[in-house]
Amino acid sequence: MSAPPVRPYSGARVLLGVTGGIASYKAAWLARLLTKAGASVDVVMTPAATEFVGAITFEALTGRAVHTGLFHPGRALDHIKLAREATAIVIAPATADFIARAAAGQASDLLSACLLAATCPVLLVPAMNDHMWAHAQTQRNAAHLGELGYSVLQPDEGMLAAGEGSGPGRMPEPESIFAHVGRLLERPGALAGKRVLVTAGPTQEAVDPVRFISNHSSGKMGVAVAAAAWRRGAAVDLIAGPLSVAAPNGVTVHAVESTEDMAAAVQRLLPDSDVLVMAAAPADFRPAEPARSKIKKTNAPLTLTLAPTPDILQTTKQARRPGAVIVGFALETDDAVASGRKKLAAKDLDMIVVNDATEAGAGFGVDTNRVTLLSRTGGDEQLPLLPKTEVADAILDRVEKLIGGR
Ligand code: CTP
């Protein structure tokens, strides 16, 4: 299991509104994810939601009192207090009825009253029958909420309540909503609104139609950078070789196989990117003449002739936008920092992330990394052994400073 992301959830006060839809059972898992990541979660349920899930479930998961009504003696001002203390509000699931009431500015229950009293960012996660979602009135209500400044997630397509078939209306998975809440909680920085291009994973070079040469890269480091950049408000393109981990939420994935494919994708996307983080481990060699059909054991050549692949950072230099921040990685086994410094200059980078593959807990496949950050402008920084998610944040903190200085 990868380490749970701490930032930006730790210290956050999240008001989780649950309305009365069948997807409300998934809100329990969301409450758990947020609590585990360090947020204090105040659950507010509409009366209809309590028909689907018991308040006690949320109380046990969050370790905090659950709020269910406007009219409790001694707690008349709950809606003001809850709204004032929240750093973010997420309403999951948001039914068609709740969306209609919110769009009309009603305050007939505790949750809608909290929404009116709140000044923090709000995320609504619609979930309902596909026809109810497609209805012009619901669409109008959702669009109006967007105009009011709320973030409204698009429902997923997939199986709806039992016997109801499938279509757009299904609540996105709790992990995805959790990631969106992280984006909501993030303080706006220099990456907000920027386009970030990240490469991740290995590439594969065909020997024949069923065999390839590659390396041990899992893609974890690049995926962590892409996830953190998206959470910071960037639009993220992830050029991914065959990954051993799932691509993160919110990013646009461009799947590639060979180094040449990856080079072509970087060449295409780089002119529109404000930042390139080249975290992939592209294969440096390919079989010179891949066989068209499967090589048989009986007539296999015992020597494979290799040809070099393009160096992506070198060959795409002219596609860089003026002022773009370019970050490379260097995976070394000998004299890591000195070799990293040479690559920083040779590949014309703003920063290089050097790691020594021979160190325990660093390099391919593991969830942690120990890196040294070298910059063109100096100020080297050796980081301790950290989860890759935290290494990603350290890299992006530096990238934000570089963007800010341009
Ligand atoms: N890189 C690249 N194109 C390649 C190989 C690597 O753009 N064909 C990028 C990597 O993504 C990384 C940086 O160059 O950001 C350094 O990669 P690394 O494998 O450490 O260095 P190489 O240039 O391949 O040099 P060597 O293998 O000789 O150490």
Side-chain angles (χ1 to χ4, degrees):
M1 276 294 283
S2 46
V6 176
R7 171 195 166 155
Y9 305 86
S10 77
R13 188 85 181 258
V14 178
L15 192 162
L16 171 59
V18 184
T19 72
I22 182 58
S24 53
Y25 77 96
K26 287 197 206 167
W29 187 242
L30 176 61
R32 166 105 182 102
L33 291 172
L34 291 166
T35 306
K36 213 171 138 202
S40 299
V41 182
D42 290 309
V43 175
V44 176
M45 303 176 78
T46 60
T50 60
E51 300 287 332
F52 288 89
V53 194
I56 204 78
T57 301
F58 288 105
E59 197 171 312
L61 289 169
T62 62
R64 299 171 71 82
V66 170
H67 308 266
T68 53
L70 259 180
F71 306 111
H72 292 297
R75 287 166 49 187
L77 291 179
D78 263 10
H79 60 294
I80 305 292
K81 200 165 158 280
L82 283 163
R84 190 173 45 223
E85 289 170 355
T87 42
I89 295 181
V90 51
I91 298 177
T95 57
D97 177 64
F98 184 81
I99 287 171
R101 284 189 286 120
Q106 290 188 6
S108 49
D109 61 62
L110 178 61
L111 186 55
S112 48
C114 285
L115 207 53
L116 275 188
T119 53
C120 64
V122 174
L123 175 70
L124 287 136
V125 190
M128 64 199 73
N129 166 274
D130 53 341
H131 293 289
M132 289 171 84
W133 173 245
H135 195 288
Q137 187 63 60
T138 308
Q139 288 298 311
R140 193 177 300 169
N141 292 337
H144 181 52
L145 288 169
E147 285 157 19
L148 292 176
Y150 299 131
S151 303
V152 183
L153 280 196
Q154 283 301 306
D156 279 352
E157 253 187 71
M159 211 180 78
L160 300 167
E164 283 302 310
S166 69
R170 188 183 151 91
M171 188 164 95
E173 291 310 313
E175 284 77 6
S176 161
I177 304 169
F178 171 76
H180 277 275
V181 178
R183 200 174 209 234
L184 212 62
L185 288 168
E186 189 73 44
R187 246 177 266 123
L191 278 172
K194 297 283 189 236
R195 288 207 78 87
V196 175
L197 179 59
V198 183
T199 66
T203 57
Q204 294 178 348
E205 303 296 337
V207 173
D208 68 16
V210 298
R211 303 181 179 93
F212 57 80
I213 54 175
S214 187
N215 58 58
H216 288 299
S217 171
S218 61
K220 282 181 181 170
M221 193 61 244
V223 162
V225 171
W230 178 78
R231 200 196 63 225
R232 289 172 187 232
V236 180
D237 286 296
L238 176 66
I239 302 176
L243 302 177
S244 313
V245 288
N249 209 80
V251 311
T252 306
V253 180
H254 308 265
V256 296
E257 261 178 30
S258 68
T259 297
E260 211 162 302
D261 294 345
M262 187 174 274
V266 171
Q267 178 73 32
R268 183 165 49 84
L269 295 164
L270 193 51
D272 293 325
S273 306
D274 301 293
V275 178
L276 167 65
V277 180
M278 191 73 201
D284 287 324
F285 303 98
R286 62 176 179 80
E289 282 175 40
R292 278 174 212 273
S293 44
K294 187 184 168 201
I295 300 168
K296 288 286 179 198
K297 209 166 18 193
T298 43
N299 57 4
L302 294 179
T303 309
L304 204 54
T305 307
L306 299 176
T309 56
D311 185 298
I312 301 172
L313 280 169
Q314 294 282 10
T315 56
T316 59
K317 269 186 193 166
Q318 75 300 338
R320 294 179 189 176
R321 199 171 170 159
V325 174
I326 312 292
V327 181
F329 277 69
L331 181 67
E332 307 292 346
T333 53
D334 306 286
D335 221 353
V337 170
S339 306
R341 210 175 294 283
K342 274 188 206 147
K343 284 181 193 170
L344 176 78
K347 302 195 183 211
D348 204 1
L349 308 172
D350 294 294
M351 180 165 99
I352 195 156
V353 184
V354 184
N355 53 42
D356 187 334
T358 58
E359 274 194 44
F364 285 154
V366 291
D367 288 329
T368 52
N369 213 350
R370 188 198 303 274
V371 303
T372 304
L373 307 180
L374 308 179
S375 299
R376 190 205 294 271
T377 49
D380 302 349
E381 190 180 357
Q382 193 173 359
L383 300 179
L385 186 70
L386 289 172
K388 283 182 175 169
T389 49
E390 287 181 43
V391 174
D393 273 318
I395 295 167
L396 294 182
D397 284 345
R398 278 207 165 203
V399 168
E400 290 202 325
K401 276 197 198 126
L402 287 168
I403 294 176
R406 290 191 172 173

